[in-house]
Amino acid sequence: MELLERLQSRQKQDADLFLHRMLLARQPVTLTGYKSLIDLPHTMMLLQQQAQNAVAEDRPLFALASGIGEYMNDADEQAVIAAISEGNLVVFPDGSDMTFKLTPVNRTLSRSIEAPTTENVLRGSISAFIEDIDTNLGILKKQFISDKLRIQSYWVGTDQRRRAIILYTEGKASSKFNHDLIQKIESNLDKDIPNLQALAHVLGFSKWVLAPGFNTTELPQNAAWALGQGKTVLFLDRFPFAIIMPSVIMDMFAAENDHNFLPIFMFIIRFLRIIGVLSNMLMPGLYVALVSVNPDVLRIELALSIAGSREGVPYPAVFETLLLLVILELTLESSVRLPKTIGPTITMVGGIILGQAVVQAQLVSNVLIIILAATTIASFAVVGFNNAVIIRLPKYLILILSAMYGVLGLFVGMMLVCASLASASVFGIPYLYKWKAREHSDG
Amino acid sequence: MDKSLQVTVMYLLTHVGLIFFMYPTEIIESVPIGHWSPILLGFLFHVTLLGIFTKGLSYFKSQNLIDIFLGAGKAFAVILLVPVTFYFLMEIVIMVRAYSEIIKMIFLENTPIWAIIALLLAVTTMISSLGIETVFRTGLLIAVLFLPIFLLVLSISFQNADWRYVFPLMDERAVSLSYVLSRPFLLSLFAFAGGFTFLGFIQPYIPYKRRSVMGASALLLPLFLISVYVPLLTFGQNTVFELQFPFITAIDTVNITWLMFDRVTMFFMITLICFVLLFFSLVMWKATLLIRRALPFIRPIPAKLLLALALFILCLQIPDFKTVEQLLWWNTFLRLYVTIAIPFITLILGIRHHRKGAVFS
């Protein structure tokens, strides 16, 4: 059989591929699949059982395909390889052209459900999504029990096959948005999606817009909330997050978990987050503007005390600020990837030793240390880790404009950031859109 | 989707940006006593024209001014719209130059004027090139962020007011409206005239309800009154007459002990300048719309960049603030044409269109 021979020659390059001959109810067959994905002894045992049952009931052997597998019509090498990469077992009976694929017993390759790592839950379910897409789907369906939930599954990519699942709630989701999204994905099924950038590219998002087109979350309750609000949730296999689309500005400030507090407390928390984002963007710029361009705006006592703390600092305020901001970014970046045991060391060295030394060596002023510490803290007041990453950027634009034009530059920079946010939209839904679930204020 | 809120906010912001700098000066120059009279007259003028313009526009379902005028004949449209385009461009040049002069004078003494003009034009070009919807959404966001500062300063601006300066309430000149043709009064109309023409251009992109804009215009009256009466009540007529920017100077006298900033004026002014930048973006967008309609082969982004460069060079050609004032005066005639003739023509075309529609149906 030609196909089998070709598979055999393939086996020489791919040690993971197995071709196993066995008797199934006295019928010789060849099984093929990937060792790393299939638990072969268990699968064979089950197959034997099925075959015996079939013989006992006088059914033809291949009827078992209709139970736990399906016939592959006109199976060529490509189709067989695609089927086994998806984790199926392919069966070739001897002396027959028929090929069928079965769902085998899989090896357990994913971790169990654990607590989230990038998002913390104060009050609410602690299970987080894991890499396995079916488990994620299961967790979400347990969290969001509804007969209106619609699920569509796709295989995307050619070099790297990957499963993608789209979920939305019938009746709540904007049908135009879903239609556009699904069409976009269906027309790009041959493109690989190894990461979120590739996803953004497939969905046609602009590279230059600051606003995120989608949000990611590890928490099933957030994904369920998004579904309830009529948003669309996308799962990618081997990606332990739910991707929520479209993203709107309020997602930066509002989380599902807020509803577990008193309403007044919820509004205060959200207001605080808005203040956090604003101060993160504006404080370094304001410092530079007030120190170097418009010192007359400050009350004289304050101006003098800031000038006093800058005494001996040899370069302009903008360099001082940039220097420390870069060190802070480095600290953040290095502590993200460090093992948990070394993280605190970096914090101590970066925060205490460096901070203290840098002031004593008169490289930067005391006031700046305070401002930058507050800035860094404020940048993590937003909801969602990807939002926290994104808002780190605009402050540099504002900082440079402030260094050139003072307070005017600060405000103009803020205007440019606003314009950039205002220009972002996902499939016709602008980023500055007040989402339909009308129970929230839009700040 | 109805976007009346965005349109209303934009309408308010553009006017707020224009009111507080030159308008009080002109009003204070136009009459010595009874300033409410020119303010009210100007406001009535504004509301009447706004009413006529929006009424005229409401006869056409989601068509902009260019389509409406083209409907009456190509030559007709060209003759009527070329001055409008010219007016928009003139307005950007004059205003950018004037505002950069104000910025330099008040808080960026050491920055060269070209750098300020470049900043204003660059921001204007960038925002307008992101599209009209972006301009409006930015307006909404800016309003949420900046209006609190504006309202705070406005509410404390009465700190040093001496209410006796309100009197005398009127004299013959104020009642007889004899100032109507005087230069300061005609100049003061720019605060009423500049803002509302955008309503004629946004229609297919940004639908709105006529009623909400008309309602919002009532909010402007107190602002016009405050802009003149706050400096008047703070300094009195004789002193205020000498000041170049009376309202700004009046705010400068305010002292808030609990605030860490000494000059709240600066934040107030910059807020206003941001509103004005939004207005510039809108005018720039309108101008490019008109130019691209006439010369459709130019792509939008290069068109905007070329236009910005041309405007930048023009701005640099204006030597000083005196010339700016002179240009502003020359532009008054064009402004009167745009603000009076265009609404009336729109109304006439609208009524004609309506009758024709009635005959056909």
Side-chain angles (χ1 to χ4, degrees):
Chain A
M1 200 170 161
E2 208 182 320
L3 187 57
L4 270 176
E5 278 158 20
R6 248 182 284 155
L7 283 174
Q8 263 159 5
S9 69
R10 197 183 173 93
Q11 198 183 19
K12 288 188 186 118
Q13 293 157 14
D14 188 355
D16 195 24
L17 186 74
F18 68 79
L19 286 165
H20 187 85
R21 289 185 59 77
M22 70 179 281
L23 282 175
L24 209 55
R26 288 190 290 271
Q27 160 83 38
V29 296
T30 307
L31 310 178
T32 184
Y34 281 125
K35 282 179 219 156
S36 54
L37 299 179
I38 296 172
D39 185 350
L40 193 60
H42 269 110
T43 310
M44 279 166 62
M45 222 158 74
L46 279 177
L47 270 178
Q48 293 287 10
Q49 256 173 27
Q50 292 270 342
Q52 274 164 18
N53 287 349
V55 170
E57 286 176 20
D58 258 358
R59 278 192 290 129
L61 175 63
F62 300 127
L64 104 166
S66 58
I68 51 171
E70 58 180 282
Y71 285 107
M72 295 174 73
N73 298 325
D74 312 323
D76 57 355
E77 191 186 350
Q78 201 57 47
V80 169
I81 293 293
I84 62 177
S85 344
E86 287 163 20
N88 292 308
L89 178 77
V90 178
V91 181
F92 302 99
D94 279 13
S96 156
D97 279 347
M98 275 191 288
T99 311
F100 51 100
K101 61 177 180 187
L102 301 175
T103 311
V105 179
N106 286 325
R107 282 180 194 275
T108 318
L109 293 175
S110 51
R111 62 184 162 112
S112 57
I113 298 164
E114 288 161 15
T117 52
T118 60
E119 281 168 278
N120 268 329
V121 199
L122 211 53
R123 287 175 164 186
S125 145
I126 304 189
S127 327
F129 290 126
I130 63 169
E131 289 86 357
D132 182 36
I133 196 167
D134 289 317
T135 316
N136 288 349
L137 190 59
I139 304 176
L140 184 55
K141 284 192 81 163
K142 222 171 181 179
Q143 188 79 230
F144 190 77
I145 301 168
S146 161
D147 58 334
K148 296 206 170 61
L149 188 64
R150 299 288 176 268
I151 302 174
Q152 303 206 359
S153 171
Y154 300 96
W155 277 96
V156 293
T158 43
D159 295 345
Q160 280 188 49
R161 305 273 288 163
R162 185 167 215 174
R163 249 176 97 201
I165 293 183
I166 295 176
L167 299 106
Y168 58 90
T169 319
E170 182 80 52
K172 283 200 169 173
S174 144
S175 50
K176 187 188 165 296
F177 177 82
N178 270 323
H179 177 258
D180 289 354
L181 177 71
I182 288 171
Q183 203 172 34
K184 200 87 189 174
I185 288 187
E186 280 178 358
S187 61
N188 283 302
L189 285 182
D190 54 329
K191 289 213 176 107
D192 293 327
I193 307 183
N195 47 41
L196 288 184
Q197 269 184 19
L199 179 69
H201 181 70
V202 162
L203 295 178
F205 297 165
S206 164
K207 281 180 194 163
W208 304 107
V209 174
L210 203 60
F214 41 67
N215 273 319
T216 54
T217 179
E218 267 190 286
L219 303 177
Q221 55 173 355
N222 282 354
W225 186 47
L227 282 177
Q229 279 192 312
K231 292 190 182 175
T232 307
V233 170
L234 176 74
F235 281 122
L236 288 174
D237 203 5
R238 308 191 296 278
F239 191 71
F241 295 97
I243 298 160
I244 300 172
M245 278 179 285
S247 153
V248 291
I249 191 162
M250 211 44 205
D251 293 340
M252 221 184 240
F253 309 115
E256 207 283 302
N257 209 7
D258 300 344
H259 294 276
N260 294 330
F261 299 101
L262 287 176
I264 176 100
F265 198 58
M266 179 180 87
F267 288 120
I268 291 174
I269 294 176
R270 290 181 178 175
F271 185 66
L272 207 62
R273 289 185 188 130
I274 295 174
I275 301 276
V277 170
L278 285 178
S279 50
N280 171 56
M281 287 199 294
L282 298 179
M283 273 202 298
L286 191 65
Y287 172 78
V288 172
L290 292 183
V291 166
S292 60
V293 188
N294 299 116
D296 51 326
V297 178
L298 279 177
R299 217 159 250 291
I300 185 75
E301 302 87 344
L302 200 58
L304 283 177
S305 97
I306 290 181
S309 86
R310 262 185 61 78
E311 205 177 333
V313 177
Y315 30 71
V318 60
F319 287 116
E320 181 192 10
T321 315
L322 271 177
L323 180 82
L324 219 58
L325 272 176
V326 169
I327 291 180
L328 277 175
E329 300 286 356
L330 285 175
T331 316
L332 272 181
E333 218 28 54
S334 54
S335 61
V336 164
R337 258 160 283 283
L338 274 174
K340 284 208 173 79
T341 41
I342 309 182
T345 321
I346 287 289
T347 325
M348 202 176 71
V349 173
I352 302 167
I353 303 179
L354 195 76
Q356 184 61 29
V358 111
V359 171
Q360 279 189 349
Q362 291 198 332
L363 293 176
V364 299
S365 73
N366 274 320
V367 181
L368 183 68
I369 298 266
I370 300 170
I371 283 178
L372 291 191
T375 305
T376 316
I377 294 168
S379 69
F380 292 97
V382 288
V383 176
F385 183 69
N386 60 331
N387 286 329
V389 174
I390 286 163
I391 62 162
R392 275 157 63 183
L393 201 59
K395 61 171 170 277
Y396 292 96
L397 170 81
I398 294 179
L399 179 70
I400 288 167
L401 278 172
S402 305
M404 288 161 72
Y405 296 99
V407 185
L408 175 72
L410 183 88
F411 276 69
V412 166
M414 204 151 129
M415 233 179 128
L416 288 178
V417 173
C418 287
S420 162
L421 293 182
S423 72
S425 71
V426 177
F427 298 126
I429 293 185
Y431 187 63
L432 297 187
Y433 181 70
K434 194 175 173 195
W435 194 251
K436 279 276 158 44
R438 289 273 169 188
E439 55 207 85
H440 319 293
S441 79
D442 66 348
Chain B
M1 199 166 57
D2 178 50
K3 290 181 180 161
S4 299
L5 179 68
Q6 289 182 18
V7 175
T8 317
V9 166
M10 197 69 181
Y11 166 81
L12 288 176
L13 292 189
T14 50
H15 283 92
V16 166
L18 295 176
I19 292 172
F20 288 93
F21 287 101
M22 270 113 72
Y23 175 73
T25 324
E26 310 298 351
I27 290 290
I28 285 164
E29 269 180 36
S30 63
V31 280
I33 291 166
H35 299 88
W36 50 268
S37 166
I39 299 174
L40 277 181
L41 187 68
F43 184 72
L44 273 179
F45 171 77
H46 171 80
V47 172
T48 317
L49 288 173
L50 182 69
I52 289 172
F53 192 45
T54 48
K55 185 71 196 163
L57 287 169
S58 69
Y59 284 120
F60 300 92
K61 281 275 164 288
S62 64
Q63 268 184 330
N64 68 14
L65 208 61
I66 308 175
D67 292 322
I68 294 172
F69 279 30
L70 277 175
K74 203 162 182 180
F76 177 78
V78 170
I79 292 169
L80 285 177
L81 289 178
V82 164
V84 178
T85 319
F86 190 66
Y87 166 70
F88 286 154
L89 296 179
M90 277 276 279
E91 192 165 57
I92 298 182
V93 172
I94 296 171
M95 301 288 275
V96 166
R97 187 65 179 78
Y99 275 82
S100 54
E101 193 78 41
I102 293 171
I103 291 169
K104 188 174 166 60
M105 223 182 302
I106 301 176
F107 48 83
L108 282 177
E109 287 139 21
N110 302 324
T111 314
I113 197 92
W114 63 262
I116 303 173
I117 296 175
L119 176 77
L120 297 185
L121 278 175
V123 172
T124 303
T125 315
M126 197 201 126
I127 295 179
S128 78
S129 63
L130 290 173
I132 186 65
E133 278 142 345
T134 303
V135 175
F136 275 78
R137 272 185 241 131
T138 313
L140 208 57
L141 206 54
I142 293 287
V144 171
L145 290 173
F146 294 175
L147 272 185
I149 305 177
F150 170 76
L151 292 176
L152 174 79
V153 177
L154 211 60
S155 59
I156 55 169
S157 64
F158 287 96
Q159 202 187 40
N160 296 325
D162 182 347
W163 291 91
R164 282 167 299 185
Y165 283 128
V166 172
F167 302 106
L169 270 179
M170 58 176 95
D171 68 349
E172 211 174 285
R173 201 167 137 78
V175 177
S176 66
L177 308 184
S178 59
Y179 52 81
V180 166
L181 290 178
S182 71
R183 176 169 160 164
F185 179 73
L186 288 177
L187 268 175
S188 81
L189 291 179
F190 86 95
F192 296 105
F196 69 85
T197 41
F198 77 84
L199 294 172
F201 291 88
I202 56 172
Q203 192 57 269
Y205 310 97
I206 307 201
Y208 61 93
K209 287 199 191 75
R210 178 174 176 244
R211 212 161 10 119
S212 57
V213 179
M214 291 301 286
S217 67
L219 290 176
L220 285 180
L221 183 60
L223 296 179
F224 283 116
L225 287 169
I226 286 175
S227 76
V228 175
Y229 273 94
V230 163
L232 203 64
L233 296 181
T234 310
F235 301 114
Q237 167 67 26
N238 292 333
T239 317
V240 88
F241 192 76
E242 303 295 324
L243 300 171
Q244 190 170 14
F245 300 114
F247 189 79
I248 311 281
T249 320
I251 301 252
D252 247 341
T253 63
V254 171
N255 182 22
I256 315 173
T257 42
W258 48 266
L259 206 66
M260 60 193 255
F261 300 112
D262 211 16
R263 288 181 68 194
V264 278
T265 337
M266 183 170 292
F267 292 97
F268 180 74
M269 273 185 301
I270 293 174
T271 308
L272 294 183
I273 286 165
C274 288
F275 296 162
V276 170
L277 277 176
L278 220 52
F279 171 66
F280 290 163
S281 319
L282 202 58
V283 178
M284 179 89 131
W285 178 80
K286 285 187 280 186
T288 354
L289 192 73
L290 282 162
I291 291 172
R292 286 199 60 237
R293 202 56 191 263
L295 312 163
F297 49 86
I298 307 180
R299 301 227 315 275
I301 302 289
K304 286 221 167 67
L305 289 177
L306 279 178
L307 192 64
L309 188 70
L311 294 178
F312 181 63
I313 293 168
L314 277 177
C315 281
L316 289 182
Q317 300 307 313
I318 303 175
D320 51 18
F321 203 68
K322 275 247 147 40
T323 325
V324 174
E325 282 175 337
Q326 194 60 42
L327 282 173
L328 204 61
W329 170 240
W330 289 340
N331 208 21
T332 303
F333 303 103
L334 212 50
R335 182 176 310 119
L336 287 177
Y337 160 74
V338 171
T339 42
I340 297 175
I342 296 289
F344 273 104
I345 295 168
T346 315
L347 183 67
I348 293 165
L349 287 177
I351 292 171
R352 237 181 53 180
H353 178 85
H354 186 64
R355 288 215 184 114
K356 236 193 254 172
V359 170
F360 283 129
S361 63

